[in-house]
Amino acid sequence: MKLSEFFELLEYGELANLSLSGGIDDEKGIREEDYPTLVSHINLGLSDLHTKFNLKERELVLQEYSSLTHYELDSKYAVTNTSSTEPVKYILDSETSVFNDDVLRINSAFNEIGEELPINDEYQPNSIFLNGYRTIQIPYPVDTNTIFIMYRANHTKLDVQTPDLNAEIELPAYCIEALLSYVASRVHSQRTSQEAQGTAVNLMAKYTLICDQIELRNMLHNSPDNTNFKLGVNQWV
């Protein structure tokens, strides 16, 4: 969905008949001067949804160094970051897939032959450990080895200062209503009237309910109950 289309949904839906100026003037609807404020709310809402749900997953290739046991997933360690003065660049990104500090959660890790590595398992000698949401400890690194990290990625941030109405909002259709509620809640929360504050609370409750429904309906197909075990059980394979 384009940013302009999202603004239209807000203007004729959750923010209908509302002056974003907070009553300073009588002009209703979304104006160009309102874009930066709304885009900042949208960015926050997108980050919250991408944190709640695995909407975007990316791969990162990590070069091991025997002299290093801790690896921070920060773009200053990326080989494409020519402005960084770090002596060791262990994130092997490329110009077509630049690492841009979008790690929300590390999901899994694999070695060079595709075997999944255990995580935070002190009883496994090949286990890696997470010392933070984007810091990996490799107890026994080998110079010739690389690790493939699969991580939950954040959305591409929308430009707040000069919003592009043609910019794409990275979100599946079933999450749009949730984002509308989130953004509208933040808009109303900035108004001082008791009615506006009550509306903000109700909209955030609606946002939470929609997110719960997405999880309940397994829209992301990530529930173990979604797997079909019948073939194996009936010995058809």
Side-chain angles (χ1 to χ4, degrees), residues 178 203-216:
L203 283 166
M204 191 55 70
K206 181 181 178 182
Y207 168 75
T208 301
L209 178 61
I210 294 172
C211 290
D212 289 344
Q213 289 297 314
I214 292 172
E215 190 71 39
L216 183 64

Side-chain angles (χ1 to χ4, degrees), residues 3 12 18 24 27 34-35 47 66 76 95 98 117 136 140-141 147 149-150 157 229-230:
L3 181 60
Y12 292 99
L18 177 69
I24 296 175
E27 186 176 348
D34 300 321
Y35 292 172
S47 290
S66 58
K76 65 185 178 182
E95 294 299 333
V98 176
L117 299 173
I136 296 173
Y140 309 104
I147 289 182
I149 307 294
M150 303 301 297
K157 188 176 180 180
F229 294 105
K230 291 184 178 179

Side-chain angles (χ1 to χ4, degrees), residues 39-40 43-44 46-47 56 100 154-160 167-168 170:
V39 170
S40 68
N43 277 330
L44 285 172
L46 285 171
S47 290
K56 183 180 180 182
N100 54 13
N154 206 350
H155 67 99
T156 301
K157 188 176 180 180
L158 298 170
D159 190 341
V160 175
E168 288 290 335
E170 296 180 359

Side-chain angles (χ1 to χ4, degrees), residues 177-237:
E177 187 177 3
L179 183 60
L180 288 167
S181 298
Y182 184 97
V183 171
S185 175
R186 288 188 60 85
V187 169
H188 283 284
S189 70
Q190 293 182 336
R191 299 162 64 84
T192 57
S193 71
Q194 186 174 352
E195 180 183 2
Q197 292 299 310
T199 300
V201 171
N202 290 337
L203 283 166
M204 191 55 70
K206 181 181 178 182
Y207 168 75
T208 301
L209 178 61
I210 294 172
C211 290
D212 289 344
Q213 289 297 314
I214 292 172
E215 190 71 39
L216 183 64
R217 295 173 183 173
N218 195 30
M219 299 296 291
L220 299 172
H221 300 287
N222 58 358
S223 168
D225 295 335
N226 195 58
T227 305
N228 189 344
F229 294 105
K230 291 184 178 179
L231 291 178
V233 170
N234 290 288
Q235 297 182 347
W236 291 339
V237 292

